[in-house]
């Protein structure tokens, strides 16, 4: 679902219609004997994961690049956490962080692309992994929990997402942190047990048999075991087999071989009885070892094993322990599950291609590597270590003139880009003669089926989206002048000089075209020659006050009127609704923020009749209106939970004051010193915006009415 | 169109061999089922309910424990109800006749789909993967639930959404004698008057003529005429409520065959007035009735599953549940209004809607040997073994053979168990209700008790409570101390040993239990000792070397008030120790006056958490 929340653009509706012809192929069970081009992409669930992973290893190793795409259970945990123009660089990261931490990944598309010089085309291997955060092994700490955004789930349903496959059959995973923790616990448990078993000679904290029944039972067991042992020894001396020993007529005892030693299995006993048998064995038979082993059917088997000597006894115990430990380790390895795919992508250091993939990468980081750091800078430097080469097709499309021209400066959504850049794949028509440049050919291979005009995916299915992204990238490269025929297979595509200026740049927020450079963690200049969107004038964060908890009927326009009455006609540059309970007010001067906060504080303190007549009283009505500077928004965005309404959220994080005054000059000074780097990053943003303003002076008069009442900003901007 | 892309549409069904059939209700058969169940609810004696949710508690100490008072138990239930979602809601109207339970079970599949595109009923909800996994193991079909689940709006949401639902509404304006018209007003009125006249004449005119299609559509274009339910109509854009008022007044004054409709704007208010032309007086009446009908239909669609809740409420029948606090906090928050901040308000508010709530879990506590059983199947098999209660289940309706009939059986278990318990408690179920809608006095005493760990007392403060059997002892919350900051992995017994010699208060009888891995609770069986212990802790263990050393190693302690505060403020961290630390750190609110009166807790050493 991505950032394509509620409103699907018209373009998508149109492409959906044109896709209908292919949609019948979406049935997974399409027969494998088919030689036509309508086979399904590779769907991977629990049952075929091991096998698919092995194939994928080979494909990724050979690949020139790997495209990825994720489907999640949601994007924003509250309306006020959606993407706004009024998001500062650090706030934007916090929003992405919140999203990646709260929502689950349910589908993961991986599509390795390899250039085949003999066929002069790319071979793509689209994989569609169903992922579900199932708790496969007991983990310390809180239970696995994730959030679902209702609209996103509904969106997935609209595109026929198979929730049953995901929840019943999805591949689970452990993050690196979880795996280490599980291994550590296992090691501890093993060591405890080993030390325990060595101290066996020290008599058990002998729980004396008190109940008569227990005493009788123990005695009988002792006799049976001793009889079996004696017979064993006798048989051995006589040199005959002991399979036919008569004492085994009892169904509960069966003689078998365990690690080349004779043993009896114990079955049909209660756990209490088994404990008594264990006690008897330990107490009376120095050459018999009581062990528990796991059988294939995952049931535990209890055995008494005959050993030759003390060393042999210890050997048996060690073998059993090691066996159990190995099994537990295997279980943990198996529980790592889908993370093997991520580890593969990371270790192969291939060029990763995504479409508007900052959130995708954040999900990968938080699910498979570790907790997301508090700042974008820290985050980006760790991501860069795991994935040194990431390229974003949305950046590419907006950065290059030729590509922009081809896109007709319209939307750069994935499906649109695919339809425009790769028409021969998108529509299945081989009409490359019409194009001014021949299209890059892509052949799809799934298991042993190949096709050169494959298009049987479904939009917003992660595997197919990854495939589309890869096709768009290949085509874009060709338009950038990269000649794959000259490209040597050993050279890393990521070092191609034509891609250099686009690599490792991601949209931190598409809405403002804020780009983050993964190498530095700083905001990067948009390298695009023209801007597609009408830019809003610069947003000066020190000029912003945040007001919430005002009377619910109050509109932005009215708040502006009130403020203008007090601070002058041009004092308010713009008003922006965060949600129905909160607004950002951008004043024309930073001083007005503190003036406003002080005035509000004074009015609330002196509860006299005059203050009731004050123009601001309209905003303060109800007595729960709160206000603070922009900083509070960052603070609230970084809190771990999410109430639907901003005012409720502020209350939930324990804000009790009504007005947070600015400690004027002093604070401003220290803040600048403390967070120089942050400020620096911010300034870069402001500078680009300022430059924009100069180009277009008419825009400086802020069209505030457009913003006022825009309670649904997400709809307009969130489409990917 | 699109065919499903289900993985081989594999059937993940666990073989179940129940002879009981339960009608499964989704969007497609909701309307008919609603009618049926409403009738059944009307005719029955009781309604049993059972909910399937997406999760319950995220950390061991988040669930309701024996140490919880009514208040803290409510906060815990509230926290769960606000975060998780109900995916199945089973309702079973039933009656008890002789030794027979006559039941009409229905299982509704719910999904909080935003049917009206207004961000309701739920922006987001949490899921616990273990819950989803276990539902999966039982063969739950998530696709059916998400694709075809019934949506709903709570009562509070419906009234909030009235103006945002977005359907045209008939004007309910009372036209007042208009105040003086400004110049702008009269200009507006004149302009729309002539426009309406022109359009009306053209419409009347064209109805008699048979124009070519092209001319007709051209005429439409020129006049700005549209069609509304096969009647011609015209939209008048308005900029303010004042203009709406003027337009309505003008229409009412001059035309009796025009029906004005208000088109709501997205952010509230009115965007336009749509004028619909009717043929005659009769046609006008007909049209108005149609509108009313449509509005009603739209509202019903918005309410969705809540119609069932409303219908149970309207019947005032006693509702039988298992773990009623859990289920009714969900019901309250999803279908009524957001949960109130205190348990008492919750009880009051709920009683207005459901006057009698009976909890089988609570009834079981009335029967000695059953008092510690909380699990439904265990209780049923226990009764089967220990008592002879011949109660048969009869389900008159036979749902058509449906593969997913395996869901919602709990509601039948509840109904049957309830009948058995009534019989054991010697309450004659036929005479449960008199004509005035009051529960018979025998059951009245069991109604509306929501504390899962408490006994019969309805009021925890002044109820005469008896000390329970050998292993359940009453303890005052003032005699409990929370202890944390000790080494991880310490067992309760080790901690008790450690404490025994550390301070003189521990020379008297006391007990230690772990709340979770990070925090323990100390129970002082002699009153007053908790206080002295807390004082000793506060003083840093002066003149008490062992305690001093433990404190220096990080041991912290707090009384029940801090725990209560943790629950009230919703500091639900994974470790209780962290939550208690946070609550202690919030010093500024420490002074606030909160009811300090200690409440009683039933200390049940057996049902305490097993870690």
């Amino acid at each position: 679902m991505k950032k394509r929340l509620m409103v699907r653009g018209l373009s998508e509706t149109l492409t959906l219609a044109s896709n209908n012809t292919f949609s019948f192929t979406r049935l997974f069970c399409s027969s494998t004997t088919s030689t036509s081009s309508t086979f399904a992409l590779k769907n991977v669930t629990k049952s075929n994961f091991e096998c698919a992973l092995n194939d994928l290893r080979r494909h990724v190793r050979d690949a020139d690049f790997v495209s990825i795409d994720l489907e999640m259970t949601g994007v924003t945990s509250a309306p006020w956490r959606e993407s706004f123009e009024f998001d500062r660089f650090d706030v934007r990261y916090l929003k992405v962080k919140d999203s990646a931490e709260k929502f689950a990944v349910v589908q993961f598309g991986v599509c390795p692309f390899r250039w085949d010089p003999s066929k002069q085309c790319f071979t793509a291997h689209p994989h569609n992994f169903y992922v579900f955060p199932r708790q496969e092994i007991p983990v310390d700490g809180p239970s696995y929990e994730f959030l679902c955004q209702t609209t996103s789930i509904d969106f997935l349903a609209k595109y026929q997402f198979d929730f049953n496959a995901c929840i019943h059959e999805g591949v689970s995973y452990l993050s690196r942190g979880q795996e280490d923790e599980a291994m550590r616990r296992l090691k501890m448990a093993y060591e405890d047990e080993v030390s325990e078993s060595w101290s066996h000679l020290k008599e058990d904290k002998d729980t004396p048999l008190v109940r008569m029944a227990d005493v009788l039972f123990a005695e009988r067991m002792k006799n049976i075991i001793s009889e079996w042992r004696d017979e064993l020894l006798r048989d051995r001396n006589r040199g005959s087999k002991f399979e036919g020993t008569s004492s085994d007529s009892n169904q509960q005892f069966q003689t078998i071989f365990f690690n080349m030693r004779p043993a009896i299995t114990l079955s049909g006993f209660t756990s209490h009885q088994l404990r008594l048998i264990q006690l008897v064995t330990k107490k009376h038979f120095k050459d018999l070892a009581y062990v528990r082993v796991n059988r294939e059917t995952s049931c535990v088997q209890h055995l008494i094993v005959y050993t030759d000597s003390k060393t042999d006894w210890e050997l048996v115990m060690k073998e059993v322990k090691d066996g159990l430990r190995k099994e537990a380790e295997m279980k943990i390895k198996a529980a790592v599950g889908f993370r093997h795919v991520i580890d593969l992508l990371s270790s192969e250091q291939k060029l990763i291609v995504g479409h508007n993939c900052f959130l995708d990468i954040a999900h990968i980081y938080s699910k498979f590597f570790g907790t997301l750091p508090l700042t974008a800078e820290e985050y980006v430097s760790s991501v860069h270590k795991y994935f040194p080469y990431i390229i974003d097709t949305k950046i590419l499309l907006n950065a290059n003139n030729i590509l922009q021209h081809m896109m007709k400066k319209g939307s750069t959504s994935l499906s649109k880009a695919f339809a425009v850049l790769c028409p021969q794949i998108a529509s299945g028509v081989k009409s490359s003669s019409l194009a001014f440049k021949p299209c890059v050919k892509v052949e799809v291979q799934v298991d042993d089926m190949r096709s050169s005009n494959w298009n049987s995916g479904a939009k917003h299915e992660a595997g197919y989206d990854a495939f589309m992204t890869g096709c768009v990238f290949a085509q874009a490269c060709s338009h950038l002048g990269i000649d794959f025929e000259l490209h040597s297979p050993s050279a890393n595509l990521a070092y191609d000089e034509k891609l250099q200026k686009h690599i490792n740049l991601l949209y931190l927020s598409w809405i403002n075209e804020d780009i983050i450079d993964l190498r530095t963690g700083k905001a990067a200049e948009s390298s695009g020659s023209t801007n597609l969107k009408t830019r809003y004038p610069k947003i000066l964060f020190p000029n912003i006050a945040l007001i919430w908890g005002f009377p619910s009927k109050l509109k932005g326009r009215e708040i502006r009127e009130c403020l203008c009455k007090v601070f002058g006609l041009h004092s308010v540059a713009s008003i922006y609704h965060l949600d129905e309970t909160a607004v950002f007010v951008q004043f024309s001067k930073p001083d007005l923020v503190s003036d406003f906060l002080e005035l509000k504080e004074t009015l609330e303190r002196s509860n006299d009749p005059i203050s009731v007549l004050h123009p601001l009283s309209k905003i303060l009505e109800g007595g729960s209106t709160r206000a603070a500077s922009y900083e509070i928004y960052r603070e609230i965005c970084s809190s771990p939970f999410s109430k639907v309404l901003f005012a409720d959220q502020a209350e939930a994080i324990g804000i009790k004051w009504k007005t947070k005054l600015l400690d004027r000059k002093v604070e401003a000074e220290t803040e600048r010193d403390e967070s120089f780097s942050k400020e620096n990053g911010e300034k870069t943003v402001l500078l680009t915006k300022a430059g924009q303003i100069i180009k277009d002076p008419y825009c400086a008069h802020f069209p505030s009415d457009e913003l006022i009442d825009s309670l649904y900003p997400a709809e307009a901007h969130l489409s990917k | 169109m699109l065919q499903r892309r289900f993985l081989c549409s594999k059937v993940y069904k666990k073989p179940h061999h129940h002879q009981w059939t339960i009608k499964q209700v989704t969007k497609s058969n909701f309307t008919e089922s609603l009618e049926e169940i409403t009738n059944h609810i009307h005719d029955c004696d009781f309604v049993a309910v059972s909910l399937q949710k997406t999760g319950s508690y995220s950390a061991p100490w988040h669930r309701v424990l024996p140490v919880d008072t009514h208040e803290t138990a409510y906060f815990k239930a509230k926290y769960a109800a606000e975060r998780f979602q109900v995916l199945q809601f089973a309702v079973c109207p039933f009656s008890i006749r002789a030794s027979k339970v006559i039941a009409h079970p229905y299982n509704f599949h719910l999904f909080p789909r935003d049917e009206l595109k207004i961000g309701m009923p739920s922006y987001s909800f949490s899921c616990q993967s273990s819950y989803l996994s276990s539902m999966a193991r039982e063969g739950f079909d998530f696709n059916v639930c998400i694709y075809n689940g019934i949506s709903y709006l709570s009562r509070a949401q419906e009234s909030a959404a009235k103006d945002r639902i977005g359907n045209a509404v008939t004007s309910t304006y009372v036209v007042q004698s208009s105040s003086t018209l400004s110049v702008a007003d009269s200009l507006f009125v004149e302009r729309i008057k002539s426009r309406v006249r022109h359009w009306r004449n053209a419409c009347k005119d064209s109805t008699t003529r048979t124009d070519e299609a092209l001319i007709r559509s051209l005429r439409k274009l020129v006049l700005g005429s549209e069609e509304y339910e096969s009647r011609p109509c015209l939209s008048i854009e308005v900029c303010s409520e004042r203009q709406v008022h003027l337009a309505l007044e003008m229409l009412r004054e001059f035309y009796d065959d025009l029906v004005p409709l208000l088109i709501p704007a997205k952010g509230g208010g009115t965007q336009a007035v749509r004028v619909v032309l009717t043929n005659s007086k009769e046609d006008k009446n007909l049209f108005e009735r149609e509108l009313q009908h449509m509005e009603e239909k739209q509202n019903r669609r918005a309410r969705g599953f809540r119609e069932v809740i409303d219908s149970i409420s309207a019947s005032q029948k006693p509702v039988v549940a298992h773990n009623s606090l859990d289920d009714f906090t969900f019901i309250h928050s999803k279908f009524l209004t957001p949960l109130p901040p205190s348990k008492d308000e919750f009880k009051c508010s709920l009683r207005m809607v459901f006057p009698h709530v009976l909890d089988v879990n609570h009834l079981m506590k009335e029967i000695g040997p059953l008092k510690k059983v909380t699990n439904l199947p265990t209780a049923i098999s226990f009764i089967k073994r220990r008592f002879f209660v011949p109660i048969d289940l009869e389900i008159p309706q036979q749902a058509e053979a449906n593969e997913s009939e395996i869901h919602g059986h709990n509601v039948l278990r509840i109904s049957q168990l309830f009948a058995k318990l009534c019989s054991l408690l010697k309450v004659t179920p036929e005479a449960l209700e008199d004509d005035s809608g009051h529960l018979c006095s025998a059951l009245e005493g069991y109604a509306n008790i929501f504390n899962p760990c408490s006994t019969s007392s309805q009021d925890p403060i002044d109820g005469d409570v008896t000390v329970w059997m050998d292993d359940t002892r009453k303890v005052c919350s003032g005699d409990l101390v929370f202890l944390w900051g000790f080494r991880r992995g310490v067992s309760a017994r080790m901690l008790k040993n450690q404490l025994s010699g550390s301070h003189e208060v521990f020379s008297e009888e006391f007990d230690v239990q772990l709340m979770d891995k990070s925090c323990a609770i100390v129970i002082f069986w002699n009153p007053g000792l908790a206080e002295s212990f807390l004082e000793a802790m506060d003083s840093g263990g002066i003149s008490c070397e062992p305690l001093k050393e433990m404190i220096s190693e990080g041991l912290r302690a707090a009384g029940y008030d801090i725990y209560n505060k943790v629950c009230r403020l919703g500091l639900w961290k994974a470790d209780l120790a962290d939550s208690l630390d946070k609550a202690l750190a919030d010093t500024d609110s420490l002074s606030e006056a909160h009811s300090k009166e200690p409440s009683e807790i039933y200390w049940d050493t057996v049902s305490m958490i097993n870690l």
Side-chain angles (χ1 to χ4, degrees), chain A residues 36 79 83 112 155 157 183 252 285 289 301 305 324 354 370 413 463 483 590 623 651 656 684 700:
Chain A
S36 76
S83 210
F155 175 82
M183 281 306 214
Q252 289 176 308
F285 305 96
Q301 197 173 35
V305 186
L324 286 175
S413 75
D483 195 342
E651 198 188 329
K656 294 190 182 72
T684 335

Side-chain angles (χ1 to χ4, degrees), chain B residues 244-269:
Chain B
V244 175
H245 188 88
L246 291 171
L248 292 180
E249 203 174 354
M250 184 278 293
L251 290 170
R252 188 154 315 187
E253 200 172 330
F254 295 101
Y255 305 104
D256 54 0
D257 55 356
L258 295 182
V259 182
L261 299 173
L262 304 184
I263 309 299
K266 208 167 193 183

Side-chain angles (χ1 to χ4, degrees), chain B residues 51 339 490:
Chain B
L51 281 63
L339 285 164
V490 169

Side-chain angles (χ1 to χ4, degrees), chain A residues 26-40:
Chain A
R26 293 176 81 167
L27 273 179
F28 282 9
C29 292
S30 65
S31 88
T32 40
T33 52
S34 155
T35 48
S36 76
S37 55
T38 55
F39 51 85

Side-chain angles (χ1 to χ4, degrees), chain A residues 65 67 111 113 353 393 442 465-475:
Chain A
F65 65 90
S67 57
C111 187
F113 279 74
V353 182
T393 44
V442 179
D465 277 4
F467 168 72
M468 290 201 288
T469 306
C471 292
V472 166
F473 174 68
Q475 194 59 53

